[in-house]
Amino acid sequence: MGYSKTLAAGLFAMLFLAPAVLATDPDPLQDFCVADLDGKAVSVNGHPCKPMSEDGDDFLFSSKLAKAGNTSTPNGSTVTELDVAEWPGTNTLGVSMNRVDFALGGHQPAAHPSPCHRDRHRDERVVRAGETFLIPRGLMHFQFNVGKTEASMVVSFNSQNPGIVFVPLMLFGSNPPIPTPVLTKALRVEAGVVELLKSKFAAGF
Ligand SMILES: *[C@@H]1O[C@H](CO)[C@@H](O)[C@H](O)[C@H]1NC(C)=O
Ligand SMILES: *[C@@H]1O[C@H](CO)[C@@H](O)[C@H](O)[C@H]1NC(C)=O
């Protein structure tokens, strides 16, 4: 399981940890199940179904991913998400897409929720324009624009709602916060270091 990244331009270094455990979304049991995003019924995987629109709008999405996101952010990158929340036809089909834009030096430290991984193996690649790269589901990874221009990539997921965990924000900007003594023990540093990092993420990103 995983998702591929096809680069439209630029140059990235990518890093991730290898899996100890892999899991998959269940295969679809219906041909389609257009998401009723306001539906209240309990659903095993995703949203309840609604009748398909006659004009096919549930399946066709507009040009959202054609537009570059604003990369004037603290991390020099921005994610444009296209998942079941805006693309109801993907409900239960286990697919979605993102676009990620990077300024010079922009980066993304993230992981998509999944099983636990205990292996410390690291794999790193420079990905050039036009190349495709696969990151197995749930692995912690980052992208860093090491090129001399801005860069963009298109990401496809094998989940209709892959979620995302920004590791620094989760550790130092959660609400309520992770107690400092927990982080000092986990990270093997003094409390002052943890407090400094918490101050950087107190307002989120
Ligand atoms: C991008 O975001 C920055 C910071 O929020 C803002 O100052 C700037 O006007 C934005 N640029 C565009 C083109 O929207
Ligand atoms: C980068 O910053 C933007 C806006 O501040 C945020 O929307 C985005 O999720 C951030 N990405 C990461 C990986 O930190």
Side-chain angles (χ1 to χ4, degrees):
M1 295 291 289
Y3 57 88
S4 63
K5 296 176 176 255
T6 304
L7 301 184
L11 198 61
F12 302 89
M14 310 188 77
L15 171 73
F16 64 91
L17 304 174
V21 183
L22 291 177
T24 64
D25 280 357
D27 283 336
L29 298 178
Q30 304 170 93
D31 290 340
F32 60 84
C33 167
V34 176
D36 178 359
L37 298 176
D38 299 320
K40 300 287 186 286
V42 175
S43 176
V44 175
N45 174 18
H47 298 272
C49 312
K50 71 178 182 65
M52 181 172 48
S53 66
E54 291 187 5
D55 55 13
D57 273 358
D58 294 323
F59 297 98
L60 179 69
F61 195 77
S62 68
S63 57
K64 184 179 183 189
L65 294 188
K67 188 167 179 287
N70 187 341
T71 57
S72 297
T73 63
N75 44 54
S77 67
T78 192
V79 182
T80 306
E81 297 176 345
L82 188 51
D83 58 25
V84 66
E86 294 179 83
W87 197 3
T90 62
N91 193 42
T92 75
L93 297 187
V95 293
S96 59
M97 296 182 78
N98 279 357
R99 170 183 177 138
V100 190
D101 293 287
F102 297 87
L104 289 179
H107 70 104
Q108 284 272 351
H112 300 277
S114 80
C116 298
H117 302 292
R118 291 165 293 167
D119 195 322
R120 294 169 60 189
H121 173 76
R122 190 185 79 181
D123 192 1
E124 187 172 325
R125 294 283 185 278
V126 173
V127 185
R128 294 184 166 78
E131 293 182 339
T132 300
F133 190 79
L134 177 79
I135 298 178
R137 187 185 192 115
L139 297 189
M140 186 177 150
H141 58 280
F142 69 78
Q143 298 97 44
F144 187 69
N145 183 1
V146 297
K148 293 186 168 52
T149 66
E150 295 182 341
S152 302
M153 65 184 185
V154 174
V155 187
S156 63
F157 296 94
N158 59 346
S159 168
Q160 68 186 26
N161 189 12
I164 190 157
V165 172
F166 296 129
V167 177
L169 187 62
M170 288 295 155
L171 282 177
F172 303 111
S174 64
N175 184 19
I178 299 175
T180 295
V182 173
L183 291 172
T184 59
K185 288 185 188 304
L187 301 174
R188 304 176 189 174
V189 295
E190 303 300 317
V193 176
V194 170
E195 294 298 346
L196 174 65
L197 288 165
K198 281 185 168 180
S199 73
K200 304 285 183 190
F201 293 94
F205 271 110

